[in-house]
Amino acid sequence: DIQMTQSPSTLSASVGDRVTITCRASQTISTYLNWYQHIPGKAPNLLIYAASTLQSGVPSRFSGSGSGTDFTLTISSLQPQDFATYYCQLSYVPWTFGQGTTVEI
Amino acid sequence: EVQLVESGGGLVQPGGSLRLSCAASGFTFSGFWMSWVRQAPGKGLEFVANIKPDGSERFYLDSVRGRFTISRDNAKNSLYLQISNPRAEDTAVYYCARIVVVVTELFDYWGQGTLVTVSS
């Protein structure tokens, strides 16, 4: 099975910072990659699909890039509501998630 | 407005059984793949199972295949997960999610989750 590895596991940042999270697939997956935000106690929220397409309603400070095995999620200017855990996900069988990156203050 | 509301979680003994439900509204339920995803305490998200709109295809996480059964009732706009012979490692918050297939597959709406605790 394809493994998805995120880095870092935890990221300390401040409001206004530019933040980058990396996701690496164990084999090439073209652009079959989604990104989600999860705040404890709330439903996960789809941010990006097909590696770089912004989901409707998601603020433009979020962006995604990459193809093949290496992908990035970037938050251009971190806002207070962005402190959360972010997951990448393979977007076909077996829909594997990365282990998550927690963005904390 | 799309809404997914899970129910049925609780305490279950190892070797017991439990059925989770997910009530869907705000969209044509019968037209979408649906999925269950879980999060164990202190862990990340993990795909559990999904099911085709007409119920004719199902996929499972290897560790739950043969113990969990995903099903749906399109007349009732409901998704189910039958958990049989649970293990301690199945303790988690279980989320239902809608899947949209547009070249790729994305989980665009999620419920708030229901907690399953496996313990004697």
Side-chain angles (χ1 to χ4, degrees):
Chain A
D1 280 358
I2 298 174
Q3 304 301 314
M4 309 300 292
T5 303
Q6 290 181 232
S7 62
S9 295
T10 305
L11 188 159
S12 296
S14 301
V15 172
D17 284 355
R18 181 181 181 88
V19 167
T20 298
I21 298 168
T22 297
C23 178
R24 175 164 288 175
S26 60
Q27 60 192 75
T28 185
I29 60 169
S30 183
T31 57
Y32 290 100
L33 185 96
N34 303 327
W35 288 99
Y36 299 86
Q37 176 194 64
H38 191 204
I39 297 170
K42 300 183 74 174
N45 182 39
L46 173 69
L47 299 174
I48 302 279
Y49 64 92
S52 61
T53 302
L54 195 67
Q55 170 70 346
S56 176
V58 174
S60 59
R61 64 181 179 274
F62 291 93
S63 64
S65 65
S67 67
T69 60
D70 294 314
F71 303 86
T72 59
L73 172 70
T74 299
I75 309 172
S76 61
S77 178
L78 198 65
Q79 298 302 299
Q81 61 268 37
D82 301 336
F83 291 95
T85 300
Y86 294 85
Y87 295 90
C88 62
Q89 181 203 25
L90 174 68
S91 60
Y92 58 84
V93 175
W95 299 281
T96 309
F97 288 89
Q99 80 278 18
T101 296
T102 299
V103 177
E104 59 182 25
I105 298 174
Chain B
E1 178 191 7
V2 172
Q3 285 198 318
L4 298 170
V5 180
E6 301 94 337
S7 61
L11 177 64
V12 59
Q13 293 186 338
S17 66
L18 196 68
R19 188 175 86 154
L20 307 183
S21 299
C22 172
S25 61
F27 65 103
T28 304
F29 180 75
S30 60
F32 289 85
W33 282 79
M34 296 295 297
S35 182
W36 289 98
V37 176
R38 68 185 180 184
Q39 182 178 34
K43 304 292 186 180
L45 299 175
E46 181 177 52
F47 167 82
V48 173
N50 64 12
I51 185 168
K52 197 174 180 179
D54 63 2
S56 63
E57 280 188 61
R58 308 167 195 208
F59 293 93
Y60 294 95
L61 177 69
D62 284 349
S63 63
V64 308
R65 188 177 293 113
R67 301 187 298 117
F68 289 16
T69 302
I70 188 172
S71 63
R72 62 193 297 161
D73 185 336
N74 287 341
K76 295 183 178 180
N77 292 335
S78 293
L79 178 72
Y80 305 103
L81 186 69
Q82 180 71 41
I83 298 174
S84 300
N85 191 23
R87 305 166 180 165
E89 55 266 34
D90 296 321
T91 293
V93 175
Y94 285 74
Y95 298 95
C96 70
R98 187 180 83 166
I99 301 174
V100 170
V101 181
V102 284
V103 179
T104 185
E105 295 163 21
L106 51 105
F107 294 33
D108 66 340
Y109 283 95
W110 299 63
Q112 298 279 351
T114 187
L115 176 62
V116 173
T117 302
V118 183
S119 175
S120 55

